[in-house]
Amino acid sequence: GAGVSQSPRYKVAKRGQDVALRCDPISGHVSLFWYQQALGQGPEFLTYFQNEAQLDKSGLPSDRFFAERPEGSVSTLKIQRTQQEDSAVYLCASSLGGTAAGELFFGEGSRLTVL
Amino acid sequence: QKEVEQNSGPLSVPEGAIASLNCTYSDRGSQSFFWYRQYSGKSPELIMSIYSNGDKEDGRFTAQLNKASQYVSLLIRDSQPSDSATYLCAVPRGSTLGRLYFGRGTQLTVWP
């Protein structure tokens, strides 16, 4: 596709449920990032992939958060046993990498609400 | 001190005026700087990147970088109501360029 595609756009989960958020990056973009954005705040880095390799997961807030990109294209962010503090917009971004790596193209986000 | 600091605003300017958005950063070793625009309910969109001291112009937008003062700004000339959005300053964390620290953003309103 022409842009980064994320699904679902909206997800409501009961506390304790597992959720999976999907990201389909721009074709040819080797770098993929997940960010979390709380209301009124800037995005916060979660994790980074270069192709299928997860090179940085230092931003994941707990071991309940897990991300994968098994074939170097589509990525999934999974949150186990969701808590209310997990409510946020989860943004996926991709970039060409190299010197343009900081020029991120964001998807529309997945808004997670945990009740 | 936070890694990236912005005045949260809101900043309100009349149509046709110059809007000036400011950002300071704490890592003196930072080499690249980005401005993203985020409309309400939408995702961030890159509007400017700047990598060296001085000014970089792109249409009505000018980014200004002063590494000695650890300061980067964004000027929007001839502001339009369609420029009303939150503007996010971002700086890479460490050596991974796409791993960005974002400021909280400055909310800009351009009134007709």
Side-chain angles (χ1 to χ4, degrees):
Chain A
V4 178
S5 177
Q6 291 188 247
S7 62
R9 291 291 313 280
Y10 303 93
K11 176 68 178 179
V12 178
K14 292 183 179 179
R15 189 162 60 93
Q17 282 185 329
D18 297 349
V19 299
L21 308 176
R22 174 190 166 100
C23 172
D24 195 348
I26 294 172
S27 178
H29 279 195
V30 300
S31 299
L32 185 146
F33 302 84
W34 284 97
Y35 282 81
Q36 179 191 60
Q37 187 171 26
L39 192 64
Q41 303 294 320
E44 292 279 346
F45 170 82
L46 294 177
T47 187
Y48 158 56
F49 290 87
Q50 184 168 309
N51 296 305
E52 69 278 4
Q54 188 175 21
L55 298 185
D56 190 336
K57 55 181 181 180
S58 62
L60 295 176
S62 78
D63 58 7
R64 296 185 296 104
F65 286 70
F66 172 75
E68 60 183 5
R69 192 186 186 197
E71 297 179 357
S73 56
V74 171
S75 176
T76 303
L77 176 67
K78 298 179 179 178
I79 309 172
Q80 298 176 324
R81 305 181 303 281
T82 52
Q83 304 294 314
Q84 286 190 323
E85 62 263 28
D86 300 335
S87 296
V89 176
Y90 290 86
L91 296 166
C92 176
S94 67
S95 75
L96 284 169
T99 55
E103 299 177 3
L104 302 181
F105 294 83
F106 283 91
E108 287 301 318
S110 292
R111 181 178 297 275
L112 172 64
T113 303
V114 182
L115 303 178
Chain B
Q1 181 187 5
K2 299 196 81 171
E3 291 82 5
V4 179
E5 302 242 27
Q6 295 181 253
N7 290 331
S8 60
L11 175 65
S12 182
V13 301
E15 184 174 358
I18 296 175
S20 177
L21 306 161
N22 304 315
C23 172
T24 58
Y25 59 94
S26 61
D27 184 358
R28 189 169 287 278
S30 296
Q31 297 295 319
S32 50
F33 307 86
F34 305 92
W35 283 99
Y36 285 80
R37 177 177 62 199
Q38 187 170 27
Y39 291 113
S40 180
K42 301 294 186 181
S43 60
E45 172 192 16
L46 178 68
I47 54 171
M48 289 288 280
S49 57
I50 186 166
Y51 300 94
S52 55
N53 268 336
D55 295 0
K56 178 182 178 182
E57 188 174 314
D58 184 1
R60 295 185 296 110
F61 297 94
T62 299
Q64 299 176 318
L65 174 61
N66 183 327
K67 290 185 179 179
S69 300
Q70 295 175 244
Y71 177 93
V72 57
S73 64
L74 180 70
L75 301 178
I76 306 175
R77 292 183 302 281
D78 188 23
S79 295
Q80 301 297 308
S82 58
D83 296 327
S84 298
T86 295
Y87 289 81
L88 299 161
C89 174
V91 177
R93 304 163 59 142
S95 59
T96 302
L97 294 182
R99 181 185 163 186
L100 300 176
Y101 282 118
F102 282 86
R104 291 188 60 180
T106 298
Q107 185 179 345
L108 171 67
T109 300
V110 181
W111 44 276

Coordinates of all heavy atoms in Angstrom, one line a residue, chain B residues 17-108:
Chain B
A17 N 0.0 35.7 9.8 CA 1.1 36.1 10.7 C 2.2 35.0 10.7 O 2.0 33.9 10.1 CB 0.6 36.2 12.1
I18 N 3.3 35.3 11.3 CA 4.4 34.3 11.5 C 4.2 33.6 12.8 O 4.1 34.2 13.9 CB 5.8 34.9 11.4 CG1 6.0 35.5 10.0 CG2 6.9 33.9 11.7 CD1 7.3 36.3 9.9
A19 N 4.2 32.2 12.8 CA 4.1 31.4 14.0 C 5.5 30.9 14.3 O 6.2 30.4 13.4 CB 3.1 30.3 13.9
S20 N 6.0 31.1 15.5 CA 7.3 30.7 15.9 C 7.2 29.6 17.0 O 6.6 29.8 18.1 CB 8.1 31.9 16.4 OG 9.4 31.5 16.9
L21 N 7.7 28.4 16.7 CA 7.7 27.3 17.7 C 9.1 27.0 18.1 O 10.0 26.9 17.2 CB 7.0 26.1 17.0 CG 5.6 26.4 16.4 CD1 5.2 25.4 15.3 CD2 4.6 26.5 17.5
N22 N 9.3 26.7 19.4 CA 10.6 26.6 19.9 C 10.8 25.2 20.6 O 9.9 24.7 21.2 CB 10.9 27.7 20.9 CG 10.8 29.0 20.2 OD1 11.2 29.3 19.1 ND2 10.1 29.9 20.9
C23 N 12.1 24.8 20.6 CA 12.4 23.5 21.2 C 13.8 23.5 21.7 O 14.7 24.0 21.0 CB 12.2 22.4 20.1 SG 12.7 20.7 20.5
T24 N 14.0 23.0 22.9 CA 15.4 22.8 23.4 C 15.6 21.3 23.6 O 14.7 20.6 23.9 CB 15.7 23.6 24.6 OG1 14.7 23.2 25.6 CG2 15.6 25.1 24.4
Y25 N 16.9 20.9 23.6 CA 17.2 19.5 23.8 C 18.4 19.4 24.7 O 19.2 20.3 24.7 CB 17.4 18.8 22.4 CG 18.5 19.4 21.6 CD1 19.8 18.9 21.6 CD2 18.3 20.4 20.7 CE1 20.9 19.4 20.9 CE2 19.3 21.0 20.0 CZ 20.6 20.5 20.0 OH 21.6 21.0 19.3
S26 N 18.6 18.2 25.3 CA 19.6 18.1 26.3 C 20.9 17.4 25.8 O 21.9 17.7 26.4 CB 19.0 17.4 27.5 OG 18.6 16.1 27.2
D27 N 20.8 16.6 24.8 CA 21.9 15.8 24.4 C 22.8 16.6 23.4 O 22.4 16.8 22.2 CB 21.5 14.5 23.7 CG 22.6 13.6 23.3 OD1 23.8 14.0 23.5 OD2 22.4 12.5 22.8
R28 N 23.9 17.1 23.9 CA 24.7 18.0 23.0 C 25.3 17.3 21.8 O 25.7 17.9 20.8 CB 25.9 18.5 23.9 CG 26.7 19.6 23.3 CD 27.7 20.2 24.2 NE 27.0 21.1 25.2 CZ 26.6 22.4 24.9 NH1 26.9 22.9 23.7 NH2 26.0 23.1 25.8
G29 N 25.3 15.9 21.8 CA 25.8 15.1 20.7 C 24.7 14.9 19.6 O 25.1 14.3 18.6
S30 N 23.5 15.4 19.8 CA 22.5 15.2 18.8 C 22.9 15.8 17.4 O 23.4 16.9 17.4 CB 21.2 15.7 19.2 OG 20.7 15.1 20.4
Q31 N 22.6 15.1 16.4 CA 23.0 15.5 15.0 C 21.9 15.8 14.1 O 22.1 16.3 13.0 CB 24.0 14.5 14.4 CG 25.3 14.3 15.2 CD 26.1 15.6 15.2 OE1 26.3 16.2 14.2 NE2 26.7 15.9 16.3
S32 N 20.7 15.3 14.4 CA 19.6 15.4 13.5 C 18.3 15.8 14.3 O 18.2 15.4 15.5 CB 19.3 14.2 12.7 OG 19.3 13.0 13.5
F33 N 17.4 16.5 13.7 CA 16.3 17.1 14.4 C 15.1 17.1 13.5 O 15.3 17.3 12.2 CB 16.6 18.5 14.8 CG 17.9 18.6 15.6 CD1 19.1 18.7 15.0 CD2 17.9 18.5 17.0 CE1 20.3 18.7 15.7 CE2 19.1 18.5 17.7 CZ 20.3 18.6 17.0
F34 N 13.9 16.9 14.0 CA 12.8 16.7 13.2 C 11.6 17.5 13.8 O 11.4 17.6 15.0 CB 12.4 15.2 13.1 CG 13.6 14.4 12.6 CD1 14.4 13.8 13.5 CD2 13.8 14.2 11.3 CE1 15.5 13.0 13.1 CE2 14.8 13.4 10.9 CZ 15.7 12.8 11.8
W35 N 10.8 18.0 12.9 CA 9.5 18.6 13.3 C 8.4 17.8 12.6 O 8.4 17.5 11.4 CB 9.4 20.0 12.8 CG 10.2 21.0 13.7 CD1 11.4 21.5 13.4 CD2 9.8 21.6 14.9 NE1 11.8 22.4 14.4 CE2 10.8 22.4 15.4 CE3 8.6 21.4 15.7 CZ2 10.7 23.1 16.6 CZ3 8.5 22.1 16.9 CH2 9.6 22.9 17.3
Y36 N 7.4 17.3 13.5 CA 6.3 16.6 13.0 C 5.0 17.4 13.4 O 5.0 18.1 14.4 CB 6.2 15.2 13.7 CG 7.1 14.2 13.3 CD1 8.5 14.2 13.7 CD2 6.8 13.2 12.3 CE1 9.4 13.3 13.2 CE2 7.7 12.3 11.9 CZ 9.0 12.3 12.3 OH 9.9 11.4 11.9
R37 N 4.1 17.3 12.5 CA 2.8 18.0 12.7 C 1.7 16.9 13.0 O 1.7 15.9 12.3 CB 2.4 18.8 11.4 CG 1.0 19.5 11.5 CD 0.8 20.3 10.2 NE 0.8 19.4 9.0 CZ 0.9 19.8 7.8 NH1 1.1 21.1 7.6 NH2 0.9 19.0 6.8
Q38 N 0.9 17.2 14.0 CA -0.2 16.2 14.3 C -1.5 16.9 14.4 O -1.7 17.7 15.3 CB 0.2 15.5 15.6 CG -0.8 14.4 15.9 CD -0.3 13.5 17.1 OE1 0.4 13.9 18.0 NE2 -0.7 12.2 17.1
Y39 N -2.4 16.7 13.5 CA -3.7 17.2 13.6 C -4.5 16.4 14.6 O -4.2 15.2 14.9 CB -4.5 17.1 12.2 CG -3.9 18.0 11.2 CD1 -3.3 17.5 10.0 CD2 -4.1 19.4 11.3 CE1 -2.8 18.4 9.1 CE2 -3.6 20.3 10.3 CZ -2.9 19.7 9.2 OH -2.4 20.6 8.3
S40 N -5.5 17.0 15.2 CA -6.3 16.4 16.3 C -6.9 15.0 15.8 O -7.5 15.0 14.8 CB -7.4 17.3 16.7 OG -8.2 16.7 17.8
G41 N -6.6 14.0 16.5 CA -7.1 12.7 16.2 C -6.4 12.0 15.1 O -6.8 10.9 14.7
K42 N -5.3 12.5 14.6 CA -4.5 11.9 13.5 C -3.1 11.6 14.0 O -2.8 11.9 15.2 CB -4.4 12.9 12.3 CG -5.8 13.3 11.8 CD -6.5 12.1 11.1 CE -7.7 12.6 10.4 NZ -8.4 11.4 9.8
S43 N -2.4 11.0 13.2 CA -1.0 10.6 13.5 C 0.0 11.6 13.1 O -0.3 12.5 12.3 CB -0.7 9.2 12.9 OG -0.7 9.3 11.5
P44 N 1.2 11.6 13.7 CA 2.2 12.6 13.3 C 2.7 12.5 11.9 O 2.7 11.4 11.3 CB 3.3 12.3 14.3 CG 2.7 11.5 15.4 CD 1.6 10.8 14.8
E45 N 3.0 13.6 11.3 CA 3.4 13.7 9.9 C 4.7 14.5 9.9 O 4.7 15.6 10.4 CB 2.3 14.3 9.1 CG 2.7 14.6 7.6 CD 1.7 15.5 6.9 OE1 0.9 16.1 7.7 OE2 1.7 15.6 5.7
L46 N 5.8 14.0 9.3 CA 7.0 14.7 9.2 C 6.9 15.9 8.3 O 6.4 15.8 7.1 CB 8.1 13.8 8.7 CG 9.5 14.5 8.5 CD1 10.1 14.8 9.8 CD2 10.4 13.5 7.7
I47 N 7.3 17.1 8.8 CA 7.2 18.3 7.9 C 8.6 18.9 7.7 O 8.8 19.5 6.6 CB 6.3 19.4 8.5 CG1 6.6 19.8 9.9 CG2 4.8 18.9 8.3 CD1 5.8 21.0 10.4
M48 N 9.5 18.7 8.6 CA 10.9 19.2 8.4 C 11.9 18.4 9.1 O 11.7 17.9 10.2 CB 11.0 20.7 8.9 CG 10.3 21.7 8.2 SD 11.1 22.1 6.6 CE 12.4 23.2 7.2
S49 N 13.1 18.2 8.5 CA 14.2 17.6 9.1 C 15.4 18.6 8.9 O 15.5 19.3 7.9 CB 14.5 16.3 8.6 OG 14.8 16.4 7.2
I50 N 16.3 18.7 9.9 CA 17.4 19.6 9.8 C 18.6 18.9 10.4 O 18.5 18.3 11.5 CB 17.1 21.0 10.4 CG1 18.3 21.9 10.1 CG2 16.8 20.9 11.8 CD1 17.9 23.4 10.3
Y51 N 19.8 19.0 9.8 CA 20.9 18.2 10.2 C 22.1 19.1 10.5 O 23.1 18.6 11.1 CB 21.3 17.2 9.2 CG 20.2 16.2 8.9 CD1 19.3 16.4 7.9 CD2 20.0 15.0 9.7 CE1 18.3 15.4 7.6 CE2 19.0 14.1 9.5 CZ 18.1 14.3 8.4 OH 17.1 13.4 8.2
S52 N 22.1 20.4 10.1 CA 23.3 21.2 10.3 C 22.8 22.6 10.8 O 21.7 23.0 10.5 CB 24.1 21.3 9.0 OG 23.3 21.8 7.9
N53 N 23.7 23.3 11.4 CA 23.4 24.6 11.9 C 22.9 25.5 10.8 O 23.3 25.5 9.7 CB 24.7 25.2 12.6 CG 24.8 24.9 14.0 OD1 23.8 24.6 14.7 ND2 26.0 24.9 14.5
G54 N 22.1 26.4 11.3 CA 21.6 27.4 10.3 C 20.1 27.2 10.0 O 19.4 26.6 10.8
D55 N 19.7 27.7 8.9 CA 18.3 27.7 8.5 C 18.1 26.7 7.3 O 18.9 26.6 6.5 CB 17.8 29.1 8.0 CG 17.8 30.1 9.1 OD1 18.2 29.7 10.3 OD2 17.5 31.3 8.9
K56 N 16.9 26.1 7.3 CA 16.5 25.3 6.2 C 15.0 25.7 5.9 O 14.2 25.6 6.7 CB 16.5 23.8 6.6 CG 16.1 22.9 5.4 CD 16.1 21.4 5.9 CE 15.6 20.5 4.8 NZ 15.6 19.1 5.2
E57 N 14.8 26.0 4.6 CA 13.5 26.5 4.2 C 12.8 25.5 3.3 O 13.5 24.9 2.4 CB 13.7 27.9 3.5 CG 12.4 28.6 3.2 CD 12.6 30.0 2.6 OE1 13.5 30.7 3.2 OE2 12.0 30.3 1.6
D58 N 11.5 25.4 3.5 CA 10.7 24.5 2.6 C 9.4 25.1 2.5 O 8.5 25.0 3.4 CB 10.6 23.1 3.2 CG 9.9 22.2 2.3 OD1 9.4 22.6 1.2 OD2 9.8 21.0 2.6
G59 N 9.1 25.9 1.5 CA 7.9 26.6 1.3 C 7.7 27.6 2.4 O 8.5 28.5 2.6
R60 N 6.6 27.5 3.1 CA 6.3 28.5 4.2 C 7.0 28.1 5.5 O 6.9 28.9 6.5 CB 4.8 28.6 4.4 CG 4.0 29.2 3.2 CD 2.5 29.4 3.5 NE 1.8 28.1 3.8 CZ 1.4 27.7 5.0 NH1 1.6 28.5 6.1 NH2 0.7 26.6 5.2
F61 N 7.6 27.0 5.5 CA 8.3 26.5 6.8 C 9.8 26.8 6.7 O 10.4 26.6 5.7 CB 8.0 25.0 6.9 CG 6.6 24.7 7.1 CD1 5.8 24.3 6.0 CD2 6.0 24.7 8.3 CE1 4.5 23.9 6.1 CE2 4.6 24.4 8.5 CZ 3.9 24.0 7.4
T62 N 10.3 27.2 7.9 CA 11.7 27.4 8.0 C 12.1 26.8 9.4 O 11.6 27.1 10.4 CB 12.2 28.9 8.0 OG1 11.9 29.4 6.8 CG2 13.7 29.0 8.2
A63 N 13.1 25.8 9.3 CA 13.6 25.3 10.5 C 15.0 26.0 10.8 O 15.7 26.2 9.9 CB 13.8 23.8 10.4
Q64 N 15.2 26.3 12.1 CA 16.4 26.9 12.5 C 17.1 26.1 13.6 O 16.5 25.7 14.5 CB 16.2 28.3 13.0 CG 15.5 29.2 12.0 CD 15.1 30.6 12.6 OE1 14.6 30.7 13.7 NE2 15.4 31.7 11.8
L65 N 18.4 25.8 13.4 CA 19.1 25.0 14.3 C 20.3 25.8 14.9 O 21.1 26.3 14.1 CB 19.6 23.7 13.7 CG 20.5 22.8 14.5 CD1 19.8 22.3 15.8 CD2 20.9 21.6 13.6
N66 N 20.5 25.7 16.2 CA 21.7 26.3 16.8 C 22.2 25.3 17.8 O 21.7 25.2 18.9 CB 21.3 27.6 17.6 CG 22.5 28.3 18.2 OD1 23.4 27.7 18.6 ND2 22.4 29.6 18.2
K67 N 23.2 24.5 17.4 CA 23.7 23.4 18.2 C 24.4 24.0 19.5 O 24.3 23.3 20.5 CB 24.6 22.5 17.4 CG 23.9 21.7 16.3 CD 24.9 20.8 15.7 CE 24.2 19.9 14.6 NZ 25.1 19.0 13.9
A68 N 25.0 25.1 19.4 CA 25.7 25.7 20.5 C 24.8 26.0 21.7 O 25.1 25.7 22.8 CB 26.5 26.9 20.1
S69 N 23.6 26.4 21.3 CA 22.5 26.7 22.3 C 21.6 25.6 22.5 O 20.7 25.7 23.3 CB 21.8 28.0 21.8 OG 22.6 29.1 21.7
Q70 N 21.8 24.5 21.7 CA 20.9 23.3 21.8 C 19.4 23.7 21.7 O 18.6 23.4 22.5 CB 21.1 22.6 23.2 CG 22.5 22.0 23.2 CD 22.9 21.4 24.6 OE1 23.7 21.9 25.3 NE2 22.2 20.4 24.9
Y71 N 19.2 24.4 20.5 CA 17.9 25.0 20.3 C 17.6 24.8 18.8 O 18.4 25.0 17.9 CB 18.1 26.5 20.6 CG 16.9 27.4 20.4 CD1 16.1 27.7 21.4 CD2 16.8 28.0 19.1 CE1 15.0 28.6 21.2 CE2 15.7 28.9 18.9 CZ 14.8 29.2 19.9 OH 13.8 30.0 19.7
V72 N 16.3 24.4 18.6 CA 15.8 24.3 17.3 C 14.4 24.9 17.2 O 13.6 24.8 18.2 CB 15.8 22.8 16.8 CG1 15.0 21.9 17.7 CG2 15.3 22.7 15.4
S73 N 14.1 25.6 16.2 CA 12.8 26.3 16.1 C 12.2 26.0 14.7 O 12.9 25.6 13.7 CB 13.0 27.8 16.3 OG 13.8 28.4 15.3
L74 N 10.9 26.3 14.6 CA 10.2 26.2 13.4 C 9.4 27.4 13.2 O 8.6 27.8 14.1 CB 9.2 25.0 13.4 CG 8.4 24.7 12.2 CD1 9.3 24.3 11.0 CD2 7.3 23.7 12.4
L75 N 9.6 28.1 12.1 CA 8.8 29.3 11.7 C 7.8 28.9 10.6 O 8.2 28.3 9.6 CB 9.7 30.4 11.3 CG 10.8 30.9 12.2 CD1 11.7 32.0 11.6 CD2 10.2 31.4 13.5
I76 N 6.6 29.4 10.8 CA 5.6 29.2 9.7 C 5.2 30.6 9.3 O 4.6 31.3 10.1 CB 4.4 28.4 10.3 CG1 4.8 27.1 10.9 CG2 3.4 28.1 9.1 CD1 3.7 26.3 11.6
R77 N 5.5 30.9 8.0 CA 5.2 32.2 7.5 C 3.8 32.1 6.9 O 3.3 31.1 6.5 CB 6.2 32.6 6.4 CG 7.6 32.9 7.0 CD 8.5 33.4 5.8 NE 8.6 32.4 4.8 CZ 9.3 31.3 4.9 NH1 10.1 31.1 6.0 NH2 9.4 30.4 3.9
D78 N 3.1 33.3 6.8 CA 1.8 33.4 6.2 C 0.9 32.3 6.7 O 0.3 31.5 6.0 CB 1.9 33.3 4.7 CG 0.6 33.6 4.0 OD1 -0.3 34.2 4.6 OD2 0.4 33.1 2.8
S79 N 0.8 32.2 8.1 CA 0.0 31.1 8.7 C -1.4 31.0 8.2 O -2.0 32.1 7.9 CB 0.0 31.3 10.2 OG 1.3 31.2 10.8
Q80 N -1.9 29.8 8.0 CA -3.2 29.6 7.5 C -4.0 28.8 8.6 O -3.4 28.0 9.4 CB -3.2 28.8 6.2 CG -2.4 29.4 5.1 CD -3.0 30.7 4.7 OE1 -4.2 30.7 4.4 NE2 -2.3 31.8 4.6
P81 N -5.3 28.9 8.6 CA -6.1 28.1 9.5 C -5.8 26.6 9.4 O -5.9 25.9 10.4 CB -7.5 28.4 9.2 CG -7.5 29.8 8.6 CD -6.2 29.9 7.9
S82 N -5.4 26.1 8.2 CA -5.1 24.7 8.1 C -3.8 24.3 8.7 O -3.5 23.1 8.9 CB -5.0 24.4 6.6 OG -4.1 25.2 5.9
D83 N -3.0 25.3 9.2 CA -1.8 25.0 10.0 C -2.1 24.7 11.4 O -1.2 24.3 12.2 CB -0.8 26.2 9.9 CG -0.3 26.5 8.5 OD1 -0.2 25.5 7.8 OD2 -0.1 27.7 8.2
S84 N -3.4 24.9 11.9 CA -3.8 24.7 13.2 C -3.6 23.2 13.6 O -4.2 22.3 13.0 CB -5.2 25.1 13.5 OG -5.4 26.5 13.3
A85 N -2.7 22.9 14.5 CA -2.3 21.5 14.8 C -1.4 21.5 16.0 O -1.0 22.6 16.5 CB -1.6 20.8 13.6
T86 N -0.9 20.4 16.4 CA 0.1 20.3 17.4 C 1.4 20.0 16.7 O 1.5 19.1 15.8 CB -0.2 19.2 18.4 OG1 -1.4 19.5 19.2 CG2 1.0 19.0 19.4
Y87 N 2.5 20.7 17.0 CA 3.8 20.5 16.4 C 4.7 19.9 17.4 O 4.9 20.4 18.5 CB 4.3 21.9 15.9 CG 3.5 22.4 14.7 CD1 2.2 23.0 14.9 CD2 3.9 22.1 13.4 CE1 1.5 23.4 13.8 CE2 3.1 22.5 12.3 CZ 1.9 23.1 12.5 OH 1.1 23.5 11.5
L88 N 5.3 18.8 17.0 CA 6.1 18.0 17.8 C 7.6 18.1 17.4 O 7.9 17.9 16.2 CB 5.7 16.5 17.8 CG 4.3 16.2 18.2 CD1 3.9 14.8 17.7 CD2 4.2 16.1 19.7
C89 N 8.5 18.4 18.3 CA 9.9 18.4 18.0 C 10.4 17.0 18.4 O 10.0 16.5 19.4 CB 10.5 19.5 18.9 SG 12.3 19.6 18.9
A90 N 11.4 16.5 17.6 CA 11.9 15.2 17.9 C 13.4 15.1 17.7 O 13.9 15.7 16.7 CB 11.2 14.1 17.1
V91 N 14.1 14.4 18.5 CA 15.5 14.2 18.5 C 15.9 12.7 18.7 O 15.3 12.1 19.5 CB 16.2 15.0 19.6 CG1 17.7 14.8 19.6 CG2 15.9 16.5 19.5
P92 N 16.8 12.2 17.9 CA 17.1 10.8 18.1 C 17.7 10.5 19.4 O 18.4 11.3 20.0 CB 18.2 10.5 17.0 CG 17.9 11.5 16.0 CD 17.5 12.8 16.7
R93 N 17.4 9.3 19.9 CA 18.0 8.7 21.1 C 19.1 7.9 20.8 O 19.0 6.8 20.1 CB 17.0 7.9 21.9 CG 15.7 8.5 22.2 CD 14.6 7.5 22.5 NE 14.9 6.7 23.7 CZ 14.0 6.3 24.6 NH1 12.8 6.7 24.5 NH2 14.4 5.5 25.6
G94 N 20.3 8.2 21.1 CA 21.5 7.4 20.8 C 21.7 7.3 19.3 O 21.4 8.2 18.5
S95 N 22.2 6.2 18.9 CA 22.7 6.0 17.5 C 21.6 5.5 16.6 O 21.8 5.5 15.4 CB 23.8 5.0 17.5 OG 23.4 3.8 18.0
T96 N 20.5 5.1 17.1 CA 19.4 4.6 16.2 C 18.5 5.8 15.8 O 17.8 6.4 16.6 CB 18.5 3.6 17.0 OG1 19.3 2.5 17.4 CG2 17.4 3.1 16.1
L97 N 18.6 6.3 14.6 CA 18.0 7.5 14.2 C 16.5 7.6 14.3 O 15.9 8.6 14.6 CB 18.4 7.9 12.7 CG 19.9 8.1 12.5 CD1 20.2 8.5 11.0 CD2 20.4 9.3 13.4
G98 N 15.9 6.4 14.1 CA 14.4 6.4 14.2 C 13.9 6.3 15.6 O 12.7 6.4 15.8
R99 N 14.8 6.1 16.5 CA 14.3 6.0 17.9 C 14.4 7.4 18.5 O 15.4 7.9 18.8 CB 15.3 5.1 18.7 CG 15.0 4.9 20.1 CD 16.0 4.1 20.8 NE 16.0 4.2 22.3 CZ 16.8 3.7 23.1 NH1 17.8 3.0 22.7 NH2 16.7 3.9 24.4
L100 N 13.2 8.0 18.5 CA 13.1 9.5 18.7 C 12.6 9.8 20.1 O 11.7 9.1 20.6 CB 12.2 10.1 17.7 CG 12.7 10.0 16.2 CD1 11.6 10.6 15.3 CD2 14.0 10.6 15.9
Y101 N 13.2 10.8 20.7 CA 12.5 11.5 21.8 C 11.6 12.6 21.2 O 12.1 13.4 20.5 CB 13.5 12.2 22.7 CG 14.3 11.3 23.6 CD1 15.7 11.2 23.5 CD2 13.7 10.6 24.7 CE1 16.5 10.5 24.4 CE2 14.4 9.9 25.5 CZ 15.8 9.8 25.4 OH 16.5 9.0 26.3
F102 N 10.4 12.6 21.6 CA 9.5 13.6 21.2 C 9.2 14.5 22.4 O 9.1 14.1 23.5 CB 8.1 13.0 20.7 CG 8.1 12.4 19.4 CD1 8.5 11.1 19.2 CD2 7.7 13.2 18.3 CE1 8.5 10.5 17.9 CE2 7.7 12.6 17.0 CZ 8.1 11.3 16.8
G103 N 9.1 15.8 22.1 CA 8.5 16.8 23.0 C 7.0 16.6 23.2 O 6.4 15.8 22.5
R104 N 6.4 17.3 24.1 CA 5.0 17.2 24.4 C 4.2 17.8 23.3 O 3.0 17.6 23.1 CB 4.6 17.8 25.7 CG 5.1 17.1 26.9 CD 4.6 17.7 28.2 NE 3.1 17.6 28.2 CZ 2.3 18.1 29.2 NH1 2.9 18.6 30.2 NH2 1.0 18.0 29.1
G105 N 4.9 18.7 22.5 CA 4.2 19.3 21.4 C 3.7 20.7 21.8 O 3.4 21.0 22.9
T106 N 3.6 21.6 20.8 CA 3.0 22.9 21.0 C 1.8 23.0 20.1 O 1.8 22.7 18.9 CB 4.0 24.0 20.5 OG1 5.2 24.0 21.3 CG2 3.3 25.4 20.6
Q107 N 0.7 23.3 20.8 CA -0.6 23.4 20.0 C -0.7 24.8 19.4 O -0.7 25.8 20.1 CB -1.8 23.1 21.0 CG -3.1 23.1 20.3 CD -4.2 22.8 21.3 OE1 -4.0 22.4 22.5 NE2 -5.5 23.0 20.9
L108 N -0.9 24.8 18.1 CA -1.0 26.1 17.4 C -2.4 26.2 16.9 O -3.0 25.3 16.3 CB 0.0 26.1 16.2 CG -0.2 27.3 15.2 CD1 0.2 28.6 15.9 CD2 0.7 27.0 14.0

